């Protein structure tokens, strides 16, 4: 019997050490190095094909490489297709991460059920009955989806050989274990081994594999960074569990841009694709309320109109409170200082609360002007007229700064029936035949006089 071999792995980044160290020299994390059992043998879980096809790659002149459009599998979900860059590439490995309970299993089960191809959904987390109950709610009559509850990769490959699926979904990579490694499921060496077996399988059979991965407290995909290096595409499913909206983004994509974004709404019968996100993020309230302003933002490549709410009130305690949900609190403080110093508004003794509706969070600096408008509207208790929106950054000198993709933002606002939009004077706008009125402003005062007369 072979001697048991052990090695030390950093649980954060996967670096291997011969002996224990307190700090990982690669990622500088403390106390992350753990001893794991490794059994190095020259076998692999997916070996049937690999032994016969020992192809050696030859270098080709760049002109000789064919650029025929790669065939992609349509996953029958507009948002998912878009984030992947136009469908699943055969033989690719896609990793999707997200917090527990956010809806990863729901999303992939739903996709597996809708696909017209033969799909194998492997779950190491739920029983077949549980999955069936969920499937009945989402999409009751699917004919080509197989469910397998199994965690050992060798057994999974056996079933794959029997069924020959077109797509394989693994829920989740942390529950898999391979016989060739002795450490526990979820450990670095297991995750690495199982993923590389799956990669081998995917590349040799040209079958796309989608992996679900858990994420750690600080938001990175649990197990290792190495997992992200090994796969072709890394997607992140995010959102606030208390709200219904979920955002799917690509963090890495070897076959497409990472700027695309998919938006879903969690409903009783699964996730609904949201093809026109602006409509749902803006409340359809006809009453004009003070303290709300609409910003035209761009998330990824998609223009999106969001509603910003502010509440300004006299501070009860000595130190005024400032809090922001969905927006950077430091940036809020900066904008308040700009309002105080450059525009003469006395907000120093006021509590200011800011909220972006829908539970989404936005980094786009182009919403600054809408934030300021919402604060001023609440402070004066005068509602902003209906049909007005904003797209500009505000600088430290109180100047209104230009933003990128301004034309896209204007067109989105027009499409949604807005009458006017405030943008920076320094933005070059080449739009013709637009019905929406574009206010070009350079100072906060211009906005104040435009809004409140
Ligand atoms: P799940 O897919 O199990 O999350 P994950 O795999 O990311 O841990 O999603 C669980 C949540 O989704 C759960 O709290 C219930 C909710 N849900 C719905 O609201 N509607 C549905 O149709 C389904 C299937 C789940
Ligand atoms: Mg799950």
């Amino acid at each position: 019997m072979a001697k048991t071999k052990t090695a030390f792995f950093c649980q954060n980044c996967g670096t291997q050490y011969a002996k224990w160290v307190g700090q990982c020299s690669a990622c500088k994390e403390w106390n992350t190095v753990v001893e794991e059992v490794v059994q190095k043998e020259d076998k692999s879980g997916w070996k049937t094909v690999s032994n016969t096809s020992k192809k050696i790659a030859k270098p080709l002149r760049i002109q000789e490489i064919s650029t025929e459009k790669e065939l992609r599998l349509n996953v029958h979900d507009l948002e998912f297709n878009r984030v992947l860059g136009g469908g699943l590439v055969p033989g690719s490995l896609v990793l999707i991460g997200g917090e527990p309970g956010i809806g990863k299993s729901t999303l992939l089960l739903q996709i597996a059920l809708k696909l017209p191809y033969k799909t194998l959904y492997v779950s190491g987390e739920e029983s077949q009955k549980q999955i069936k109950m969920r499937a009945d709610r989402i999409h009751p009559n699917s004919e080509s989806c197989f469910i397998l509850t199994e965690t050992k990769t060798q057994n999974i490959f056996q079933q794959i050989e029997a069924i020959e699926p077109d797509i394989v979904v693994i829920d989740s990579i942390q529950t898999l274990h391979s016989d060739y490694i002795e450490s526990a499921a979820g450990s670095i060496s297991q995750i690495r081994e199982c993923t590389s077996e799956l990669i081998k399988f995917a590349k040799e059979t040209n079958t796309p594999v989608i992996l679900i991965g858990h994420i750690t407290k600080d938001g990175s995909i649990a197990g290792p960074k190495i997992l992200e290096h090994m796969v072709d595409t890394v997607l992140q499913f995010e959102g606030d569990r208390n709200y219904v909206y979920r955002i799917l983004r690509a963090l890495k994509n070897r076959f497409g841009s990472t700027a695309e974004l998919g938006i879903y709404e969690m409903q009783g019968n699964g996730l609904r694709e949201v093809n026109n996100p602006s409509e749902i993020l803006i409340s359809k309230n006809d009453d004009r309320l003070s303290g709300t302003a609409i910003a035209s933002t761009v998330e990824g490549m998609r223009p999106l109109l969001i509603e910003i709410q502010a509440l300004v009130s006299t501070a009860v305690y000595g130190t005024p409170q400032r809090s922001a949900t969905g927006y950077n609190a430091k940036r809020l403080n900066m904008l308040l200082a700009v309002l105080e110093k450059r525009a003469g508004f006395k907000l120093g003794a006021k509590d200011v609360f800011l909220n972006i509706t829908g539970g989404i969070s936005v980094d786009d600096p182009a919403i600054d002007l809408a934030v300021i408008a919402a604060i001023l509207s609440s402070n004066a208790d005068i509602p902003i007229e209906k049909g007005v929106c904003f797209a500009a950054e505000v600088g430290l000198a109180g100047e209104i700064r230009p933003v990128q993709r301004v034309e896209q933002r204007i067109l989105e606002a027009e499409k949604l029936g807005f009458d006017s939009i405030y943008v920076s004077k320094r933005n070059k706008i080449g739009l013709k035949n637009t019905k929406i009125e574009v206010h070009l402003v350079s100072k906060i005062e211009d906005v104040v006089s435009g809004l409140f007369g």
Side-chain angles (χ1 to χ4, degrees):
M1 194 169 146
K3 204 172 146 243
T4 315
K5 258 190 167 176
T6 63
F8 295 82
F9 291 94
C10 169
Q11 301 293 309
N12 187 49
C13 67
T15 311
Q16 187 175 347
Y17 295 92
K19 61 182 176 41
W20 189 83
V21 288
Q23 186 189 24
C24 172
S25 59
C27 68
K28 303 283 183 269
E29 286 289 321
W30 288 92
N31 284 332
T32 53
V33 176
V34 171
E35 182 171 20
E36 285 181 10
V37 184
V38 280
Q39 193 92 49
K40 279 257 158 74
E41 283 183 60
D42 254 2
K43 302 189 239 174
S44 164
W46 180 256
K47 53 186 189 288
T48 38
V49 198
S50 59
N51 290 342
T52 51
S53 64
K54 281 249 156 52
K55 275 189 273 171
I56 299 175
K58 282 205 191 93
L60 284 179
R61 269 179 225 284
I62 192 141
Q63 296 98 322
E64 294 167 2
I65 301 172
S66 112
T67 48
E68 259 176 61
K69 201 153 180 356
E70 205 157 355
L71 191 79
R72 288 185 186 236
L73 294 174
N74 177 358
V75 291
H76 292 255
D77 180 306
L78 273 179
E79 304 291 304
F80 204 76
N81 263 338
R82 185 204 336 262
V83 176
L84 287 172
L88 266 177
V89 174
S92 69
L93 239 81
V94 177
L95 172 67
I96 166 165
E99 280 177 28
I102 205 77
K104 303 179 293 293
S105 306
T106 309
L107 176 66
L108 288 181
L109 181 63
Q110 177 175 331
I111 285 171
L113 292 171
K114 274 199 271 179
L115 278 176
Y117 320 109
K118 211 190 269 178
T119 318
L120 179 64
Y121 184 96
V122 184
S123 178
E125 304 203 331
E126 286 150 303
S127 68
Q128 277 167 318
K129 251 205 192 113
Q130 273 176 310
I131 298 172
K132 168 83 170 118
M133 268 156 48
R134 183 183 297 201
D136 282 343
R137 263 195 294 153
I138 300 175
H139 194 88
N141 35 17
S142 158
E143 281 165 8
S144 52
C145 179
F146 292 79
I147 306 288
L148 171 68
T149 44
E150 178 62 68
T151 54
K152 201 160 108 185
T153 52
Q154 283 74 19
N155 294 351
I156 294 173
F157 288 131
Q158 223 171 37
Q159 297 308 323
I160 286 178
E161 273 176 272
I163 306 177
E164 297 190 334
D166 298 315
I167 294 183
V168 177
V169 177
I170 307 280
D171 185 4
S172 64
I173 184 70
Q174 277 87 0
T175 57
L176 291 195
H177 69 100
S178 163
D179 267 354
Y180 302 117
I181 297 278
E182 282 187 5
S183 52
S187 64
I188 296 279
S189 30
Q190 276 294 2
I191 291 178
R192 184 150 54 182
E193 170 66 20
C194 296
T195 311
S196 63
E197 285 176 16
L198 286 164
I199 289 181
K200 215 163 176 182
F201 155 72
K203 302 290 170 204
E204 281 170 12
T205 58
N206 238 356
T207 313
V209 177
I210 307 180
L211 305 175
I212 293 181
H214 292 174
I215 63 171
T216 55
K217 278 198 296 289
D218 60 345
S220 56
I221 289 173
K225 269 269 173 263
I226 45 166
L227 193 53
E228 297 183 24
H229 295 306
M230 289 165 90
V231 300
D232 299 300
T233 303
V234 180
L235 307 180
Q236 174 119 328
F237 203 38
E238 56 188 43
D240 189 327
R241 243 190 301 167
N242 300 320
Y243 289 91
V244 291
Y245 302 113
R246 303 282 184 271
I247 292 180
L248 184 71
R249 313 173 190 270
L251 302 182
K252 159 183 172 179
N253 194 352
R254 286 191 182 146
F255 311 110
S257 114
T258 51
E260 291 292 0
L261 194 84
I263 301 181
Y264 293 90
E265 182 179 354
M266 181 62 96
Q267 294 185 332
N269 54 355
L271 289 151
R272 183 180 73 89
E273 301 162 36
V274 177
N275 298 326
N276 189 357
S278 302
E279 276 176 10
I280 51 163
L281 292 173
I282 299 175
S283 54
K284 295 180 185 63
N285 206 337
D286 272 342
D287 300 333
R288 291 155 53 214
L289 299 171
S290 72
T292 57
I294 311 290
S296 184
T297 163
V298 174
E299 269 286 325
M301 303 288 273
R302 291 171 91 177
L304 193 69
L305 271 90
I306 55 166
E307 186 173 305
I308 292 166
Q309 297 185 321
L311 182 67
V312 179
S313 69
T314 312
V316 184
Y317 305 107
T319 330
Q321 298 184 61
R322 271 82 209 271
S323 101
T325 313
Y327 187 71
N328 187 339
K330 282 191 182 134
R331 195 146 183 100
L332 171 64
N333 281 329
M334 186 209 94
L335 291 179
L336 290 173
V338 169
L339 278 177
E340 181 113 20
K341 178 102 182 164
R342 306 283 176 197
F345 288 94
K346 298 278 169 268
L347 298 170
K350 299 280 177 79
D351 286 341
V352 179
F353 304 96
L354 193 82
N355 182 24
I356 294 183
T357 54
I360 59 168
S361 70
V362 180
D363 294 329
D364 185 6
I367 72 171
D368 285 357
L369 191 58
V371 169
I372 284 202
I375 291 171
L376 294 179
S377 157
S378 173
N379 189 42
D381 205 13
I382 303 173
I384 293 171
E385 230 174 287
K386 212 168 163 261
V388 177
C389 65
F390 306 86
E393 191 184 337
V394 176
L396 283 180
E399 82 278 22
I400 311 292
R401 301 168 60 95
V403 292
Q404 46 154 335
R405 297 178 206 273
V406 71
E407 297 178 354
Q408 214 181 340
R409 298 172 199 262
I410 295 173
L411 290 175
E412 177 74 7
E414 180 175 20
K415 200 173 88 193
L416 288 167
F418 280 81
D419 310 317
S420 68
I421 182 167
Y422 284 78
V423 300
S424 166
K425 212 172 217 160
R426 299 198 348 246
N427 258 128
K428 297 264 175 299
I429 298 161
L431 291 175
K432 289 190 187 78
N433 302 331
T434 47
K435 283 202 296 298
I436 188 167
E437 188 185 352
V438 180
H439 296 284
L440 297 170
V441 288
S442 58
K443 295 193 301 292
I444 292 178
E445 288 86 337
D446 302 346
V447 184
V448 173
S449 60
L451 287 179
F452 310 116

